[in-house]
Amino acid sequence: MDEILSVKDLKKYFKTPKGLLHAVDNVSFSIKRGETLGVVGESGCGKSTLGRTIIGLLESSGGQIFFDEKDITRPSGKDVMVLRKQMQMIFQDPFSSLNPRMSVHDAIAEGMLIHKICSSKEELEKKVEELMDTVGLARRLANSYPHELDGGRRQRIGIARALSLNPSFIVCDEPVSALDVSIQAQILNLMQDLQEERKLTYLFITHNLSVVKHISNEIMVMYLGQVVEKCGSKELFAHTLHPYTKALLSAIPTVDLDDRREQILLKGEISSPINPKPGCRFASRCPYAKETCTKENPKLKEIWPGHFVACHYVEEINNGQEGEK
């Protein structure tokens, strides 16, 4: 299976009065066509900035982005229009991402009008109706406005808009976090069905580890702009290696008494992402941190086949069991 997206040493810095904020710092990964890469971490770790930089909503500060083996790091005007058809985004807040002055019909049709997808008004009407059927929106809602609908229906509009240009890659920026739990499952199931039907590739950004386990093939854990652990979804939950990932997983609520983890409470100050000092950014909160951790930035290394971790003492922390898997 070939790679549809490859990111190498991607950086995104923001200028602040106190210096450069390293929102995304030397992030590298790839996604295979038709699969889902889940990106998790605390708020402020750079997940959304990563997604927006990849699809060109933000200009990168360094590194390279390859889509279908083509360098799209800084695309030209014509290339941007082509990429907009191939790469789309579903936003976190379905209300603020929609124009309140546009009806459901107009919101879905907007992208197709801009890119001149349809040759006639009749064809446009047909495609809008087909998209509404695809995402589970009743056709009677075509002339409704976002404020008249609930969160689930608004997000279905967002999904229909993303699908309207028939993309192959979609960045899903916490698409269910603003929805009720009962609606979350419906939207997730819809997205998985669409992925299977249309051979879509997802970059799925979330802070909900239960959700990311359900939908992802691989999971990438970020902390203050950097990747600290990356591996297959089942592998991450079966063999968690990084101290930060262990703490994240321990916070997942469960009703299964046999599957309960001892909760790990992180202490210490969070390092500043503005002009970060050398060393591991998790060191100030890590119970295993040593002097080396405050001086040298750990590199992401392959501990097991396909399992990457950025930690100086990963072998020691996990009792030297890495080679016994």
Side-chain angles (χ1 to χ4, degrees):
M1 192 178 293
D2 62 326
E3 294 176 353
I4 189 172
L5 181 77
S6 179
V7 174
K8 297 181 179 179
D9 300 321
L10 187 64
K11 303 179 182 70
K12 178 57 187 175
Y13 302 158
F14 295 98
K15 291 183 179 179
T16 73
K18 295 183 179 180
L20 285 177
L21 189 155
H22 292 217
V24 176
D25 208 357
N26 288 310
V27 170
S28 300
F29 64 90
S30 60
I31 310 178
K32 293 179 180 178
R33 193 179 303 275
E35 292 194 352
T36 299
L37 173 65
V39 183
V40 299
E42 295 171 298
S43 296
C45 73
K47 305 186 300 294
S48 295
T49 301
L50 174 66
R52 290 167 185 262
T53 304
I54 288 171
I55 66 169
L57 293 182
L58 296 172
E59 186 176 332
S60 66
S61 304
Q64 292 178 294
I65 306 168
F66 295 90
F67 184 76
D68 273 338
E69 299 183 351
K70 182 179 179 181
D71 191 337
I72 62 164
T73 310
R74 287 178 175 80
S76 62
K78 290 183 179 180
D79 290 337
V80 169
M81 292 300 286
V82 174
L83 287 172
R84 283 289 176 266
K85 292 182 180 180
Q86 299 173 321
M87 308 172 77
Q88 282 290 307
M89 187 166 188
I90 301 171
F91 294 91
Q92 177 177 357
D93 186 351
F95 188 67
S96 62
S97 64
L98 296 172
N99 188 333
R101 297 185 179 185
M102 279 189 172
S103 66
V104 173
H105 173 279
D106 293 343
I108 297 173
E110 184 182 24
M112 292 186 284
L113 288 171
I114 292 172
H115 289 269
K116 300 178 181 178
I117 300 295
C118 303
S119 57
S120 64
K121 185 177 179 181
E122 290 74 20
E123 185 182 356
L124 178 66
E125 295 295 325
K126 183 179 179 182
K127 283 190 175 294
V128 170
E129 289 179 352
E130 287 176 353
L131 284 166
M132 291 184 70
D133 293 341
T134 298
V135 300
L137 275 172
R139 293 186 183 184
R140 60 182 172 78
L141 300 174
N143 295 317
S144 300
Y145 288 84
H147 72 273
E148 299 176 308
L149 306 174
D150 59 28
R153 288 191 176 95
R154 290 176 195 149
Q155 195 59 290
R156 290 176 191 272
I157 300 171
I159 295 172
R161 279 170 59 90
L163 295 174
S164 64
L165 301 180
N166 197 28
S168 54
F169 174 74
I170 300 179
V171 174
C172 311
D173 186 8
E174 305 205 33
V176 297
S177 63
L179 308 178
D180 292 339
V181 175
S182 58
I183 305 299
Q184 287 184 10
Q186 295 176 21
I187 297 297
L188 287 173
N189 290 334
L190 170 63
M191 292 179 67
Q192 287 183 305
D193 291 342
L194 290 171
Q195 182 177 35
E196 187 174 342
E197 291 169 9
R198 297 174 176 242
K199 310 301 180 186
L200 296 170
T201 305
Y202 292 147
L203 178 71
F204 195 92
I205 299 166
T206 183
H207 59 263
N208 189 327
L209 284 157
S210 298
V211 167
V212 81
K213 180 182 180 182
H214 175 69
I215 200 170
S216 303
N217 298 99
E218 285 194 311
I219 298 176
M220 186 168 75
V221 183
M222 291 185 67
Y223 184 80
L224 289 183
Q226 296 183 325
V227 179
V228 296
E229 190 162 4
K230 179 181 178 293
C231 62
S233 178
K234 293 181 180 179
E235 167 70 9
L236 185 78
F237 283 81
H239 303 99
T240 314
L241 299 181
H242 197 281
Y244 175 64
T245 312
K246 289 175 183 285
L248 282 181
L249 297 190
S250 75
I252 301 176
T254 178
V255 295
D256 186 354
L257 296 179
D258 296 327
D259 192 38
R260 295 183 69 178
R261 297 170 181 254
E262 182 180 352
Q263 189 166 358
I264 301 171
L265 299 177
L266 296 176
K267 300 178 181 179
E269 293 292 327
I270 299 176
S271 302
S272 174
I274 300 175
N275 296 334
K277 298 177 182 179
C280 177
R281 296 181 188 177
F282 184 62
S284 61
R285 304 172 73 192
C286 180
Y288 308 101
K290 297 183 180 180
E291 187 176 357
T292 306
C293 302
T294 60
K295 295 181 179 180
E296 298 177 16
N297 194 21
K299 294 181 179 180
L300 196 67
K301 59 183 179 180
E302 193 169 17
I303 304 300
W304 292 328
H307 195 146
F308 298 83
V309 183
C311 178
H312 289 301
Y313 299 102
V314 60
E315 292 89 355
E316 184 177 321
I317 291 170
N318 293 280
N319 299 318
Q321 296 176 355
E322 284 73 25
E324 301 175 7
K325 183 185 174 185

